[in-house]
Amino acid sequence: MKTQSLNNLTRVLLIVCGIALIISIFVPLWSIYLEAPQYPEGLAMYLWASKITGEYEIINGLNHYIGMKTIHPEDFWEFTVLPYALGFFAALCLLAAFLNKKMWLYITAVLFMIFGVAFMVDFWLWEYDYGHNLDPNAAIVVPGMSYQPPLIGFKQLLNFGAYSYPNIGGGIMFGVALILAILAFIEFRKPKSA
Amino acid sequence: MKSLKLLGLSTVVAITALTGCKPKGTETAVSGDAAQKVYVAPGKYDEFYNFVSGGFNGQVNVYGLPSGRLLKVLPVFSVNPENGYGYSEETKPMLETSHGFIPWDDQHHLSLSQTNAEVDGRWLFANANNTPRVARIDLKTFKTVEILELPNSAGNHSSPFLTENTEYVVAGTRFAVPMDDENGDVPIDSFKENFKGVLSFIGIDQQTGGMDLSFQIEAPGINFDLSHAGKKKSGDWFFFSCYNSEKANTLLEVNASQNDKDFIMAVNWKKAAELVKAGKGRKVVTEYAHNTWDESTHSATSTMKKEVVVLSVEDMKEAMFMIPCPKSPHGCDVDPTGEYIIGSGKLAALIPVFSFDKMIKAIADKNFAGEYDGVQVIKYEAALHGEVQKPGLGPLHTEFDGQGNAYTSMFVSSEVVKWNIKDLKVLDRQPTFYSVGHLMIPGGDSGKPFGKYLVAYNKITKDRYLPTGPELAQSAQLYDISGDKMKLLLDFPTFGEPHYAQALPGEMISKNQVKFFKIADNKHPYATKGEAESKVVREGNKVHVYMTSIRSHFAPDNIEGIRVGDEVYFHVTNLEQDWDVPHGFAIKGNQNAELLIMPGETCTLKWVPKKPGMYPMYCTDFCSALHQEMQGYVRVSPAGSNTPLIYSLNNKKDNAQSPVKEGETK
Ligand SMILES: [Cu+2]
């Protein structure tokens, strides 16, 4: 039986991951910054688990020149699901720590990896849609140009420099994914008879 | 022949010698590092905001120091077609007076609000000299938010000066006139019996800045010129310079320059306020306008007030005194400690410095030289700290550096003279180009001057700039006063005739700037908070257009069914919620002006088309790459025709097939 139980350190880290994921529901997950000569102070947009904040209204105003769709928080089904998904994974981490079973750690780690990848894919698809699905009657049409912001990092879009980075919540998600992976790896490699 | 040649030669020599003798201006006055000291690199902010009176343009001009760059012209007392101030329906009430709408004035002095005798960056007060008024400008928005007319007054020159905590702003009349509740239709040579010099005390609401004419003092019929409040120990007092103690009413340049001494009038405003509270003073029936700007409705309201409490000389027996002051004093300036009061007699060959402590002692000891129209006159020597001897010609105005030094402008001898307040010794003098009036040190009339720069505001500028016909620019000159000797750094042209000015560190104001008005907070009765709400409504011969502007279109952009004789009101709401994105609005043939609408604001332009035809309208502010496309048409049909009232709203199909909307009729 002993061989199926977790290290104390693993259990502590699982609790930390659980708490961190709860926090991630209440802080911004992702930041997108835009910079242009006319906007020396920059424009910022923050994606949370349940909303968008920042200057997205101004960004909407600018997007109409290139025929980009305007951003409205109510258009995202993700916002109704994400807080529960994060809450679910927080609960799963805590449960794994409480049940003290390797199997539960593996399940948590694998499910969270899948969730993380799905999150990034969904985010990318969303950016692709906004960047490519342009109004053909837009005032400014640059042949071959798309305006998909980067997933992570920097990209020049006409006169705007676009930066995209995980905020606190996104950092937590990456951190949790990394910790879970390492913990699962260590627990798996642990000698069967200690 | 030989002698002729000699004569010619000697003439050449003489002319060369004469021109060679002509005093050199700038070359000798400016030292090598001046350019470096005023250079503000592109993208960098100036250190100080400098608010300079616009004189006869009736506006206030904002410069950066030390660069001398013009930042903005603030419309205050004059209409401004550039942005529709005084032309738009919302701003028209700001310029209402008891004489009706007045589209201009003569703006002389400025005063920044203070807390504990230090500038605080909340509000700027400005006077209108001609039709007596005091304005308040909110430094969060740089908008004129209040204008109060002053009854019983004429030539509002001794104004606006503030107490050390902005409790009161005062305004002394330059022209003595009969009181408003007395017959003004009297012979001018009955001046001595019928004319009064009235001082106004306007209370300021500490939270809102709102002004209220708390009371007036009916002083002798003397001309009040300038003023300053005491500070710290003298904080309960106000000092006014007075000229024409002769009470002459003709050829004043001779007849008002007879007396060797005029006066500085000292008024204990705290006691005066207590007297009013105790029920002293008579109620004078009069009329004066009080105009206020409401930021939530983006509109002004003008109210006519009917009454004011006036204290008499008799009421003020214990709270108002005269100090003799040579000769026709202009500036009346209190040093940062509040102890010294400097009178600057325009025609005097010395500068008298009075001591507040000595004045109080003289009053306690009843050390009086007599009475002037019922006001006790303190003995000159009893109040005098000392005289600055041979300071220059025509002392006008004194400011302070906070290091115990005073700087006085000399109009006649065109110079600024630095002297020590305690020992009254002249320390330095620098020429100005030319005929300096007021001067200004940032915070120089407060308890805490910043003491780094001095600006002289000059009346004459010939040979300073490229000439512009008979009328030349006025000029300001910037001096570095951080060392022992003043150094001329820069001169820059100014609008109007600059009088007094104020300045404070940029950071005090820049950090509080309003960047746009929240559209959700817009309570304008004709606001259109989204394009879907745009509409055209006919009410008899009035047509209200609820219009929005956003980069880069108006909604609606085409209107038909307007008739000659209609009064069309374009209520334009700028939907932008972004800093520095105003939109303009103009229509062909309008006898009014254009609008410049700030983000989130609603402005109304009235238009009465005179003849049928097609009238383009467009945005006047280059707002975006598609600014030029920000346009539309109004079709005007003859009076009585039945062209249907229609308008197009975000019609993406060209040639207005659909959706064209039917206008409403009420
Ligand atoms: Cu525009």
Side-chain angles (χ1 to χ4, degrees):
Chain A
M1 279 311 273
K2 195 109 197 271
T3 55
Q4 290 307 308
S5 60
L6 301 165
N7 275 341
N8 278 340
L9 182 65
T10 305
R11 297 178 67 192
V12 169
L13 285 172
L14 276 170
I15 292 168
V16 169
C17 286
I19 293 168
L21 284 175
I22 291 169
I23 292 170
S24 74
I25 301 171
F26 303 101
V27 293
L29 298 177
W30 219 267
S31 319
I32 293 180
Y33 296 104
L34 294 174
E35 233 178 50
Q38 303 88 329
Y39 287 90
E41 72 279 16
L43 294 168
M45 187 169 104
Y46 304 104
L47 300 172
W48 300 55
S50 58
K51 60 182 174 183
I52 302 179
T53 60
E55 288 141 323
Y56 69 93
E57 296 275 15
I58 294 176
I59 296 171
N60 281 347
L62 296 165
N63 284 353
H64 92 274
Y65 291 111
I66 50 170
M68 210 159 159
K69 275 198 292 186
T70 50
I71 301 160
H72 303 284
E74 57 273 19
D75 296 348
F76 296 89
W77 62 268
E78 288 90 341
F79 290 154
T80 56
V81 175
L82 258 179
Y84 298 104
L86 289 168
F88 168 76
F89 282 105
L92 211 53
C93 287
L94 296 175
L95 192 71
F98 176 74
L99 293 176
N100 197 11
K101 290 270 177 4
K102 281 186 179 180
M103 189 48 67
W104 279 97
L105 169 66
Y106 300 151
I107 291 170
T108 306
V110 169
L111 282 181
F112 193 75
M113 298 300 158
I114 294 169
F115 166 71
V117 170
F119 173 82
M120 296 300 283
V121 168
D122 179 64
F123 187 34
W124 185 87
L125 285 172
W126 175 86
E127 287 185 332
Y128 183 91
D129 178 45
Y130 271 81
H132 288 80
N133 205 345
L134 303 171
D135 180 351
N137 294 324
I140 298 174
V141 176
V142 180
M145 184 74 191
S146 70
Y147 303 96
Q148 182 175 356
L151 202 55
I152 295 182
F154 170 82
K155 198 169 160 192
Q156 187 74 31
L157 303 169
L158 293 188
N159 59 328
F160 276 92
Y163 300 81
S164 178
Y165 288 107
N167 206 306
I168 301 170
I172 287 174
M173 286 170 70
F174 275 111
V176 166
L178 193 70
I179 290 170
L180 288 179
I182 293 169
L183 289 181
F185 181 72
I186 291 171
E187 291 287 351
F188 187 74
R189 289 277 306 269
K190 205 163 66 176
K192 291 273 152 77
S193 53
Chain B
M1 190 65 186
K2 204 173 186 185
S3 65
L4 249 182
K5 239 187 200 166
L6 199 66
L7 186 68
L9 195 67
S10 61
T11 313
V12 170
V13 172
I15 287 170
T16 317
L18 270 176
T19 49
C21 279
K22 191 188 166 207
K24 289 223 172 71
T26 329
E27 301 95 286
T28 50
V30 178
S31 54
D33 61 348
Q36 219 174 343
K37 285 191 164 162
V38 301
Y39 182 70
V40 178
K44 291 273 184 285
Y45 288 163
D46 272 291
E47 197 178 344
F48 292 96
Y49 280 103
N50 186 196
F51 298 94
V52 184
S53 66
F56 35 66
N57 82 356
Q59 320 286 41
V60 171
N61 309 305
V62 190
Y63 294 86
L65 294 179
S67 74
R69 297 188 286 207
L70 176 68
L71 305 178
K72 192 167 173 59
V73 177
L74 306 177
V76 184
F77 295 111
S78 297
V79 293
N80 192 28
E82 175 188 296
N83 63 358
Y85 179 81
Y87 294 100
S88 70
E89 297 307 300
E90 291 82 0
T91 53
K92 276 177 183 172
M94 289 306 282
L95 299 178
E96 281 299 332
T97 74
S98 62
H99 305 271
F101 181 83
I102 296 191
W104 72 280
D105 215 300
D106 180 20
Q107 201 282 301
H108 274 218
H109 308 115
L110 296 167
S111 209
L112 282 167
S113 58
Q114 295 189 6
T115 305
N116 299 323
E118 291 177 21
V119 289
D120 58 27
R122 290 182 290 167
W123 308 300
L124 177 72
F125 294 85
N127 74 325
N129 207 22
N130 178 62
T131 304
R133 285 173 281 177
V134 170
R136 181 168 60 89
I137 295 149
D138 189 330
L139 294 177
K140 286 209 248 348
T141 54
F142 281 59
K143 276 198 184 204
T144 304
V145 292
E146 190 171 7
I147 292 182
L148 180 67
E149 192 185 359
L150 299 168
N152 300 310
S153 305
N156 176 38
H157 195 263
S158 178
S159 159
F161 294 95
L162 285 163
T163 55
E164 62 182 345
N165 284 306
T166 317
E167 295 99 336
Y168 286 96
V169 57
V170 301
T173 189
R174 167 181 163 192
F175 297 105
V177 283
M179 298 295 285
D180 287 353
D181 63 344
E182 281 158 14
N183 182 16
D185 180 16
V186 293
I188 294 169
D189 66 10
S190 70
F191 187 100
K192 290 190 170 87
E193 304 91 79
N194 289 324
F195 289 51
K196 296 292 175 202
V198 165
L199 307 171
S200 305
F201 286 76
I202 303 165
I204 313 272
D205 183 306
Q206 291 307 299
Q207 296 310 311
T208 63
M211 299 191 286
D212 177 58
L213 182 51
S214 308
F215 60 92
Q216 294 187 312
I217 297 169
E218 186 183 324
I222 198 166
N223 296 38
F224 291 100
D225 198 12
L226 285 168
S227 172
H228 259 103
K231 47 181 83 86
K232 297 163 189 174
K233 61 176 160 179
S234 58
D236 294 355
W237 291 77
F238 237 108
F239 305 94
F240 296 86
S241 57
C242 323
Y243 65 103
N244 193 15
S245 55
E246 297 86 349
K247 291 196 188 167
N249 59 74
T250 181
L251 195 62
L252 257 59
E253 65 166 336
V254 175
N255 297 328
S257 306
Q258 296 302 304
N259 289 349
D260 181 49
K261 293 203 170 60
D262 289 289
F263 301 109
I264 284 185
M265 181 183 258
V267 175
N268 188 319
W269 59 266
K270 247 193 191 146
K271 271 193 189 157
E274 280 162 18
L275 288 170
V276 172
K277 229 184 207 164
K280 293 273 183 198
R282 70 185 175 101
K283 293 210 161 92
V284 169
V285 176
T286 176
E287 257 198 341
Y288 59 101
H290 185 205
N291 310 330
T292 52
W293 179 259
D294 182 336
E295 200 178 282
S296 65
T297 59
H298 303 287
S299 305
T301 319
S302 181
T303 326
M304 206 57 78
K305 300 230 172 169
K306 302 282 183 197
E307 203 178 64
V308 60
V309 175
V310 180
L311 293 166
S312 67
V313 167
E314 193 55 41
D315 295 328
M316 292 292 293
K317 224 40 194 177
E318 306 293 316
M320 187 162 80
F321 301 90
M322 301 279 214
I323 308 169
C325 181
K327 186 176 181 180
S328 299
H330 195 60
C332 179
D333 303 294
V334 182
D335 88 310
T337 67
E339 164 63 8
Y340 300 105
I341 303 124
I342 287 107
S344 305
K346 298 191 290 282
L347 310 173
L350 52 80
I351 301 173
V353 179
F354 300 100
S355 151
F356 176 72
D357 289 342
K358 283 189 171 181
M359 180 194 94
I360 293 296
K361 187 167 184 298
I363 293 170
D365 297 348
K366 299 205 177 329
N367 207 345
F368 298 128
E371 274 192 7
Y372 181 87
D373 275 16
V375 184
Q376 297 282 8
V377 179
I378 296 167
K379 271 195 186 133
Y380 178 63
E381 289 77 13
L384 189 73
H385 163 64
E387 294 168 338
V388 184
Q389 296 298 332
K390 295 190 179 160
L393 291 175
L396 273 189
H397 173 219
T398 303
E399 292 256 307
F400 309 92
D401 65 5
Q403 310 293 320
N405 301 310
Y407 300 74
T408 304
S409 55
M410 300 289 169
F411 180 79
V412 179
S413 55
S414 277
E415 59 186 335
V416 180
V417 174
K418 175 182 179 181
W419 50 277
N420 182 282
I421 304 171
K422 280 237 163 72
D423 65 19
L424 307 172
K425 292 244 162 57
V426 171
L427 303 172
D428 187 23
R429 51 205 329 148
Q430 285 296 324
T432 60
F433 308 94
Y434 307 89
S435 298
V436 56
H438 282 279
L439 43 76
M440 187 281 308
I441 292 170
D445 67 339
S446 74
K448 190 192 151 203
F450 296 92
K452 187 169 184 182
Y453 299 115
L454 176 149
V455 185
Y457 301 95
N458 304 328
K459 311 293 186 192
I460 291 174
T461 58
K462 55 187 160 199
D463 90 6
R464 301 303 294 175
Y465 310 114
L466 280 175
T468 52
E471 191 203 357
L472 303 178
Q474 315 267 339
S475 144
Q477 284 183 310
L478 178 75
Y479 295 83
D480 176 354
I481 56 165
S482 58
D484 286 344
K485 299 285 174 193
M486 296 175 269
K487 276 190 218 156
L488 178 62
L489 299 179
L490 177 76
D491 55 10
F492 55 95
T494 57
F495 280 98
E497 185 211 342
H499 290 263
Y500 196 27
Q502 297 269 276
L504 45 53
E507 169 79 358
M508 278 177 106
I509 295 181
S510 62
K511 61 173 195 245
N512 299 325
Q513 294 300 281
V514 169
K515 296 183 173 171
F516 58 86
F517 301 104
K518 284 207 186 88
I519 197 102
D521 299 344
N522 182 331
K523 297 200 172 63
H524 190 291
Y526 290 96
T528 313
K529 294 192 183 182
E531 294 186 351
E533 292 177 23
S534 303
K535 58 185 173 185
V536 181
V537 179
R538 173 179 287 283
E539 292 170 14
N541 74 330
K542 290 190 171 70
V543 178
H544 293 278
V545 181
Y546 294 71
M547 185 181 261
T548 62
S549 64
I550 196 160
R551 283 164 288 179
S552 319
H553 61 274
F554 292 109
D557 60 358
N558 284 326
I559 302 169
E560 299 184 27
I562 305 295
R563 302 173 203 140
V564 169
D566 281 346
E567 284 177 13
V568 184
Y569 294 89
F570 294 99
H571 308 285
V572 189
T573 301
N574 180 347
L575 295 177
E576 307 280 355
Q577 293 288 279
D578 198 355
W579 198 13
D580 205 15
V581 194
H583 287 290
F585 178 82
I587 186 154
K588 182 185 170 184
N590 194 11
Q591 292 178 303
N592 208 331
E594 63 185 313
L595 296 174
L596 193 60
I597 312 134
M598 296 307 123
E601 198 183 28
T602 304
C603 295
T604 303
L605 191 70
K606 182 182 171 182
W607 175 56
V608 185
K610 294 269 159 51
K611 48 187 180 184
M614 200 51 76
Y615 291 83
M617 55 187 185
Y618 66 100
C619 171
T620 49
D621 189 355
F622 210 116
C623 52
S624 70
L626 295 166
H627 158 74
Q628 205 67 355
E629 282 75 4
M630 198 165 170
Q631 63 181 50
Y633 292 101
V634 179
R635 172 182 166 196
V636 177
S637 305
S641 53
N642 51 10
T643 316
L645 186 67
I646 55 167
Y647 58 96
S648 61
L649 202 59
N650 280 339
N651 192 335
K652 293 210 171 141
K653 274 215 180 99
D654 205 6
N655 287 333
Q657 296 306 315
S658 78
V660 172
K661 297 209 173 184
E662 204 75 38
E664 297 168 28
T665 306
K666 278 189 184 163

